[in-house]
Amino acid sequence: MISLTKIIDPLSGYIAKVQKDISDRQKDQRERVPVVSGPATQVSAEQTTQAVLVNRLVAEINEITAGLQNARDGLGTLDEAENAYNDVLYVLGRMEKKFSAAQEAERNNRTLESDSASLTAALTLFNAELEQIAENRKYKNNTLIDGSFTNKAFPMWGGQSRTPKISLENLTTTLTSNKAYSAFALAGNVNSSINGTNIAANKSVTITAENGSNSFSQLAGESASSLANRINLLENDIDTEIGVTASARTSLRLSDLTNAGTLSLSIGSERVANVAQNIGNVVISDKTNLSNLMVAINRISAKTNVFASMGDSGTDIVLRDPLGGNINISNFAHSVSDTTLSVSVDRRDGLTDFSLNGEITDYNNVSTGFASGRITFGHVGNVTSENINLGVVAPANENAAGAVSIDSSKNIYLGNGSSKIQIGSVNSSNNGRGGNALQIDFSGNSRVFSNSTFSSDSNWTKNSSQIVSGTTSVNGIRTRLDRTFPDQQGASGTFTVNGGSDGDTISAVTINGVNLLGSSVSYSTDNNTTAGLISNAINNNSSNPNYTASVSGAVVTIAAADNTGYAPNSYSISYSASGSFSATGTSLSGGVDTDKESITGGSPFSTTISGGEATLSTNNATTTNPTSLVKGPALISDNDVFLLAKEQVSFSWSGSGQNSDHFDVQAYLVNTANNNGNNGRTVTMLNTTGASGSGTATGTIGITGNYKLVIVSGAFDNDGDRDSSSTVTIDNVAISAITDDVLDVIKDNITYENLNISASNTSYTPQVSVTSVTGSGSSTTEAIDVPASLTGFSLTEGADQEVFATGEVSVLSASSFSITQQDNNTNGTTFFESETTDASSLTLSSISASAELVPQLATERISQAIANVTKLKEKYLTSYRSQFDFGEFDTSNYLDSLNMTKVKTMEPDSALSMKEQAIELVIADEIQNLLAKVGNASARDVYSLLKFN
């Protein structure tokens, strides 16, 4: 194959010659035309055809010229891009050499303090060089590797079916890797009986990357170095390579020594086949300065390959095996009895804390957070933490309805649409500091009904006049219709005897088609006597027990006494009789369902607030009809309260009837945006009648809004003496300060710092707790498992305890990948914490030269970047360049080389592409057609233009 560059120069010369010949021929034609006066000389048909042919040929030649220039530009772009990536590889090579040496020194604990300044300066310089390459490597003023050079077309002729196009990746993208970290596993045991970590055997781990998947079966107690080596072994084989690389390390933190004195301990590692190596006696005069312990551990590093360095402060030191071998700590002894020393993992990503964000908690379905309620985040068993933190939450609009915010003082607020109101705060004693639990109290929140404990006579509108439910309004809010009946029903009417003669027969007294008389009644003596006989007949009718009668003079009062639902308000009383008997019947009216019975005596209702409670009293309310219900005492809150859907309101209550009567109480919440209670915006809290009762009433909000509380009381004439009395007391009106949704916002911002558990084989699954307590005192606790990798163990002096730790595997890839494993859980029995590990992106520019290089995978990331750039250069640039490679091309007789029939018989298929394109570009079918049309003479003229010297 001969690239286009080998035909451009001769073809360009040919085009120039053709253009000159055309120009000369046109000039010659003009000179041959005589200039005479008179009629213009006629141009021959042959000359016209030749002129058309020449113009067509000029157009074709111009297209050739433009196509060749685009070809030059495409190849020039690729040449300059290749130079740019070569420059990048040169810088990356220098970076790799510089940081590889520094990282190796760090692994062997030889990093000097001055190294960080040197590395920072070098990294700054390297990054600046890479930026300059991206900025300065241009072709025709177009930057090439900054991501702006995308989908650029280089057409070779009009209508080309596969126009060459070039897109060059952004340098930053090219230098990006994806990463995933495995878990540390840390296991404690007593009596030196443990033989390894709690990494379980025979569980599968699968890594799926760009080029396929590889699976591994865990080995019992496997170390990070073992798994990383097995991953890389497959990557080194072309048949099993999937595009990832693995590295390992193990790092433990010793901290929180509880006493000064003389200590000793032993270190085991893979270097010494986990045989314990004692560091000797170390004097610690200040428990906050463990530098002597660091020195003692490093004295035996040549044996163990475990190196120690100071941690964030003098109170802790960090032990590392840079190759990722298992480490065990044992034989801890101290001159002071019961002294403890904490051992925890020191993760590569720096996450040594446990966040509840993402943990699922249902709060055991407790309706949490009444005004006196709380939620507490604590520990289970012998787990401890240094601190439990509540983070700041600042939504874009803190005043939005339902928006939860938490300020730096750990006060919790809820937006109500126009402002934010405090709903809770952290308890001053259980503040999460110094090992204490973190308790959030909702009792101090400002979202309450004013004077909710009725400590003063204020903030409530009190009613002391009769109320007809569903009709009467109090403080602008219409009361809610009450259709709940007590056991006896009070609808009644009258039957008045007006006259008759002895012997007249009253055969029926009828209501709604039912004869109330058990037997016929004869008129006797006078109206009053006869009325008494009728009353007795009604009461003695065992077949119709739903009505009762009483008599006063000539008037018989008939009352409905059943529990059938609505009282028969429109049921008239009629009769059938003989002779001159006459009577007047009314319709039954009144009753519990409408509480419209008129009050005939005094002012029986009173509502008072005194002694820390509200009292709603009905005193001797007299009515015309017996067994009636009357209502009147009422409370309506003066302020409304913003409540979220699913939140709750509660209050405590008690009620008692007086003089054999019953109390009645009805309570509900009314959305002030719709105070008629339509569309589900009224929430019933309580509606009951009885001789006595008490309890806590609760209402759950259905629709977010501003609500007022309404309480209506009354009395039921249970004994039928037309006189009713009762007392109802109300206290402790409380708001549910939080829903599960709001609780989740709080929970998601809780973090446990430095969890520890005593080194014991009783549990490899440490837990923390969430305790919910309601205003009524109901309490439930949920336990949440903590990944074993996030929990340290507290070694106790003289307890003959051991702690074993695996290391951590980091996996890098140029593209995204996933890790899955069998039977994933968080107790360390599988190597990776998450069943599907998120591969987070990292770039060279994120390396911090002032920090340790090993945790940042500095050298590995640079190596990955070199592989990425090399892959791009070798694969993609070569592919783009092939678009401009046209194979063998015969320039000795250019026209002859364009003969399709000849080419097809002489060249393989791979050589046909440019031949076909060249015909379209240079002469095309239409030129061949022109040659056939103009005849041999004109054909020779055209051939002379195309023929090479």
Side-chain angles (χ1 to χ4, degrees):
M1 301 286 285
I2 301 176
S3 68
L4 181 62
T5 52
K6 295 188 177 182
I7 69 167
I8 285 176
D9 290 339
L11 189 55
S12 298
Y14 154 73
I15 291 172
K17 177 173 178 54
V18 170
Q19 288 176 320
K20 184 177 185 303
D21 287 346
I22 290 173
S23 177
D24 292 344
R25 185 171 182 84
Q26 290 173 329
K27 179 180 179 182
D28 182 57
Q29 288 176 339
R30 288 193 298 271
E31 291 175 348
R32 291 179 186 178
V33 178
V35 180
V36 296
S37 60
T41 304
Q42 297 295 315
V43 179
S44 69
E46 180 179 354
Q47 289 174 324
T48 300
T49 301
Q50 290 175 345
V52 171
L53 176 60
V54 167
N55 290 334
R56 289 286 183 89
L57 190 55
V58 169
E60 294 291 344
I61 290 172
N62 289 337
E63 188 172 14
I64 293 173
T65 304
L68 290 174
Q69 185 58 53
N70 284 339
R72 286 193 187 94
D73 289 343
L75 290 170
T77 296
L78 296 176
D79 289 341
E80 190 63 15
E82 185 171 11
N83 290 336
Y85 284 108
N86 284 337
D87 291 345
V88 170
L89 289 171
Y90 174 69
V91 174
L92 293 177
R94 290 159 51 214
M95 286 182 72
E96 183 179 38
K97 183 177 180 181
K98 177 82 172 178
F99 282 81
S100 178
Q103 192 164 312
E104 183 62 26
E106 182 180 293
R107 286 194 182 98
N108 295 303
N109 222 38
R110 295 197 305 267
T111 302
L112 302 176
E113 290 295 329
S114 60
D115 287 349
S116 62
S118 166
L119 288 173
T120 298
L123 182 62
T124 301
L125 178 61
F126 288 138
N127 280 321
E129 288 187 46
L130 293 173
E131 290 174 0
Q132 289 175 3
I133 293 169
E135 181 180 350
N136 296 334
R137 277 296 187 181
K138 301 178 180 180
Y139 186 81
K140 290 193 171 181
N141 208 35
N142 291 313
T143 53
L144 301 180
I145 58 172
D146 63 351
S148 63
F149 201 91
T150 58
N151 209 30
K152 303 290 186 180
F154 297 87
M156 306 298 291
W157 61 84
Q160 188 176 11
S161 59
R162 291 187 300 274
T163 302
K165 294 181 179 179
I166 299 175
S167 290
L168 299 175
E169 290 187 26
N170 191 327
L171 171 69
T172 303
T173 304
T174 304
L175 302 183
T176 297
S177 298
N178 292 270
K179 68 178 178 181
Y181 290 144
S182 78
F184 277 105
L186 184 65
N189 207 348
V190 296
N191 301 322
S192 305
S193 61
I194 194 168
N195 295 316
T197 70
N198 52 328
I199 292 292
N202 301 320
K203 290 191 175 183
S204 62
V205 176
T206 300
I207 302 175
T208 302
E210 184 179 25
N211 300 324
S213 298
N214 283 327
S215 294
F216 311 87
S217 182
Q218 286 179 182
L219 307 176
E222 183 169 22
S223 66
S225 62
S226 170
L227 182 59
N229 288 336
R230 290 199 288 145
I231 293 172
N232 290 330
L233 187 64
L234 293 179
E235 289 301 311
N236 291 333
D237 189 328
I238 192 172
D239 294 329
T240 55
E241 180 267 338
I242 62 173
V244 299
T245 183
S247 62
R249 72 159 194 159
T250 306
S251 183
L252 296 181
R253 187 177 294 268
L254 305 182
S255 60
D256 298 327
L257 182 66
T258 56
N259 292 296
T262 302
L263 67 79
S264 64
L265 53 81
S266 296
I267 297 176
S269 67
E270 290 189 5
R271 174 72 68 86
V272 292
N274 283 327
V275 176
Q277 306 292 309
N278 196 279
I279 65 171
N281 292 327
V282 181
V283 177
I284 304 295
S285 57
D286 179 358
K287 68 178 183 180
T288 65
N289 184 356
L290 301 184
S291 57
N292 287 347
L293 179 58
M294 176 194 72
V295 172
I297 293 172
N298 286 333
R299 286 197 190 105
I300 62 172
S301 293
K303 290 183 180 180
T304 62
N305 200 47
V306 175
F307 302 93
S309 61
M310 297 306 297
D312 300 330
S313 65
T315 61
D316 59 344
I317 60 174
V318 178
L319 277 59
R320 297 184 181 89
D321 182 337
L323 300 180
N326 290 340
I327 299 177
N328 71 298
I329 308 294
S330 61
N331 302 322
F332 174 60
H334 198 280
S335 58
V336 179
S337 298
D338 297 325
T339 294
T340 61
L341 177 68
S342 294
V343 183
S344 58
V345 297
D346 180 63
R347 295 167 61 99
R348 187 189 301 267
D349 55 14
L351 297 178
T352 58
D353 304 328
F354 178 60
S355 171
L356 293 185
N357 188 11
E359 297 293 331
I360 297 175
T361 308
D362 64 8
Y363 314 103
N364 281 319
N365 297 316
V366 170
S367 300
T368 53
F370 291 122
S372 58
R374 62 187 180 273
I375 183 167
T376 303
F377 300 92
H379 312 94
V380 176
N382 53 357
V383 174
T384 62
S385 63
E386 186 174 334
N387 295 304
I388 306 176
N389 291 325
L390 175 62
V392 173
V393 177
N397 183 2
E398 295 181 344
N399 297 333
V404 179
S405 57
I406 304 173
D407 66 17
S408 58
S409 298
K410 297 180 173 44
N411 296 312
I412 302 165
Y413 299 88
L414 185 68
N416 64 3
S418 59
S419 63
K420 65 177 184 179
I421 46 183
Q422 186 175 347
I423 62 172
S425 59
V426 171
N427 184 276
S428 58
S429 297
N430 291 323
N431 57 6
R433 316 312 293 172
N436 288 321
L438 178 68
Q439 177 178 314
I440 297 172
D441 297 325
F442 301 108
S443 57
N445 73 83
S446 60
R447 192 162 55 120
V448 297
F449 287 109
S450 299
N451 193 22
S452 57
T453 59
F454 303 104
S455 59
S456 64
D457 187 14
S458 61
N459 303 110
W460 294 84
T461 294
K462 297 172 289 183
N463 184 74
S464 298
S465 58
Q466 185 178 8
I467 290 174
V468 177
S469 64
T471 301
T472 306
S473 293
V474 180
N475 198 21
I477 295 179
R478 192 177 71 194
T479 55
R480 192 175 186 189
L481 183 64
D482 186 5
R483 290 188 181 275
T484 302
F485 308 112
D487 291 339
Q488 299 183 57
Q489 185 168 296
S492 61
T494 60
F495 182 77
T496 303
V497 178
N498 296 322
S501 300
D502 288 345
D504 290 346
T505 301
I506 302 98
S507 58
V509 176
T510 304
I511 297 177
N512 197 31
V514 176
N515 185 4
L516 275 60
L517 300 179
S519 59
S520 299
V521 175
S522 297
Y523 187 90
S524 178
T525 309
D526 56 28
N527 292 344
N528 292 350
T529 302
T530 303
L533 294 173
I534 293 172
S535 176
N536 290 335
I538 293 173
N539 290 329
N540 293 330
N541 182 9
S542 60
S543 65
N544 186 34
N546 293 330
Y547 294 92
T548 61
S550 61
V551 65
S552 177
V555 178
V556 180
T557 299
I558 302 172
D562 67 348
N563 187 27
T564 57
Y566 301 112
N569 296 333
S570 63
Y571 298 167
S572 62
I573 302 174
S574 59
Y575 68 94
S576 297
S578 63
S580 60
F581 179 83
S582 66
T584 302
T586 67
S587 296
L588 273 72
S589 63
V592 179
D593 65 322
T594 61
D595 49 58
K596 294 178 181 178
E597 185 76 13
S598 298
I599 308 300
T600 61
S603 301
F605 304 126
S606 66
T607 302
T608 60
I609 296 175
S610 177
E613 63 184 13
T615 303
L616 296 85
S617 299
T618 302
N619 299 304
N620 303 117
T622 58
T623 57
T624 301
N625 298 305
T627 59
S628 296
L629 180 72
V630 294
K631 294 191 177 189
L635 283 172
I636 296 182
S637 62
D638 289 343
N639 71 303
D640 54 23
V641 175
F642 175 74
L643 297 171
L644 294 175
K646 301 181 183 179
E647 290 189 322
Q648 293 177 327
V649 176
S650 71
F651 62 83
S652 56
W653 67 275
S654 65
S656 62
Q658 310 297 325
N659 304 321
S660 300
D661 293 327
H662 287 180
F663 75 91
D664 182 83
V665 61
Q666 181 185 15
Y668 46 91
L669 294 159
V670 177
N671 189 321
T672 56
N674 187 320
N675 63 23
N676 289 329
N678 298 328
N679 301 322
R681 289 180 169 83
T682 299
V683 179
T684 298
M685 297 183 65
L686 180 66
N687 195 354
T688 187
T689 303
S692 64
S694 64
T696 298
T698 302
T700 301
I701 302 302
I703 300 173
T704 297
N706 294 293
Y707 286 83
K708 286 190 174 185
L709 174 61
V710 180
I711 300 170
V712 178
S713 179
F716 171 64
D717 178 20
N718 183 64
D719 58 5
D721 64 357
R722 300 179 177 84
D723 182 278
S724 305
S725 299
S726 71
T727 300
V728 172
T729 61
I730 305 295
D731 200 3
N732 301 320
V733 180
I735 311 303
S736 173
I738 200 160
T739 66
D740 284 1
D741 292 339
V742 178
L743 275 179
D744 281 340
V745 174
I746 297 172
K747 180 264 299 177
D748 288 346
N749 287 278
I750 294 291
T751 301
Y752 290 79
E753 291 183 351
N754 297 328
L755 285 168
N756 272 281
I757 187 171
S758 65
S760 168
N761 63 351
T762 57
S763 175
Y764 285 153
T765 308
Q767 295 177 319
V768 297
S769 62
V770 179
T771 301
S772 308
V773 181
T774 67
S776 63
S778 175
S779 174
T780 58
T781 299
E782 287 184 272
I784 299 175
D785 290 352
V786 178
S789 61
L790 292 179
T791 307
F793 287 98
S794 294
L795 296 173
T796 304
E797 185 277 329
D800 194 21
Q801 298 165 336
E802 290 184 276
V803 172
F804 279 75
T806 65
E808 180 186 44
V809 176
S810 61
V811 181
L812 290 178
S813 177
S815 57
S816 61
F817 64 99
S818 64
I819 298 175
T820 57
Q821 59 187 343
Q822 177 186 355
D823 300 331
N824 171 60
N825 57 45
T826 59
N827 66 5
T829 61
T830 50
F831 211 95
F832 285 81
E833 261 179 21
S834 302
E835 188 168 317
T836 301
T837 303
D838 292 331
S840 55
S841 178
L842 59 128
T843 62
L844 292 185
S845 59
S846 67
I847 295 174
S848 173
S850 60
E852 296 176 17
L853 300 177
V854 173
Q856 300 178 79
L857 300 168
T859 302
E860 291 84 353
R861 287 156 67 178
I862 296 170
S863 298
Q864 184 70 64
I866 291 174
N868 293 349
V869 176
T870 301
K871 181 178 180 180
L872 180 69
K873 174 187 171 184
E874 293 178 352
K875 181 178 180 179
Y876 294 106
L877 294 187
T878 300
S879 174
Y880 286 144
R881 197 179 294 279
S882 67
Q883 297 177 106
F884 303 97
D885 193 340
F886 305 118
E888 296 289 342
F889 209 88
D890 183 3
T891 59
S892 62
N893 189 326
Y894 191 72
L895 186 62
D896 191 47
S897 74
L898 300 176
N899 185 307
M900 285 294 295
T901 302
K902 182 177 180 180
V903 169
K904 288 181 178 178
T905 59
M906 298 176 60
E907 302 289 342
D909 290 343
S910 60
L912 289 177
S913 177
M914 183 52 195
K915 306 289 186 177
E916 295 169 354
Q917 294 173 7
I919 286 177
E920 290 184 70
L921 180 64
V922 179
I923 189 167
D925 291 340
E926 64 178 39
I927 298 296
Q928 294 188 14
N929 292 336
L930 283 172
L931 290 174
K933 289 177 181 179
V934 299
N936 292 333
S938 295
R940 284 194 298 272
D941 291 338
V942 173
Y943 182 77
S944 69
L945 295 176
L946 296 173
K947 185 173 66 175
F948 286 97
N949 291 334

